[in-house]
Amino acid sequence: MITADNILEKIEQTRSRMLDLSRRLPLTSDAVITASVQLDHLLNEYEKQRRHI
C-alpha cells in the first residue's frame, strides 16, 4: 500500500526533476509538461490520502 510518506517522497523527487528540467528546457517542452502533470497527480493522491486519515 502506498502511504502518505511514500507519496511525499515521490512528490519531492518529481518536483526536483521538474525544476531541473525547467532550468534546461523551455517550460512548454514535453518533458517539463509531463513532469508537471505527474506532480499534479501525486499532489492530488496525497490530498486524497490526507482526507482519509
Side-chain angles (χ1 to χ4, degrees):
M1 181 176 159
I2 297 176
T3 66
D5 288 339
N6 294 120
I7 295 172
L8 279 176
E9 252 181 70
K10 289 182 180 185
I11 286 170
E12 289 308 316
Q13 291 169 353
T14 305
R15 185 184 324 229
S16 178
R17 185 173 68 246
M18 184 184 74
L19 289 172
D20 180 54
L21 288 167
S22 70
R23 288 183 189 110
R24 297 183 288 120
L25 301 168
L27 294 178
T28 56
S29 69
D30 287 343
V32 175
I33 291 171
T34 297
S36 177
V37 169
Q38 290 170 345
L39 181 58
D40 286 345
H41 174 74
L42 289 167
L43 290 167
N44 289 335
E45 284 299 310
Y46 178 73
E47 190 58 32
K48 267 194 242 178
Q49 286 267 345
R50 259 183 18 111
R51 279 191 229 133
H52 288 106
I53 293 176

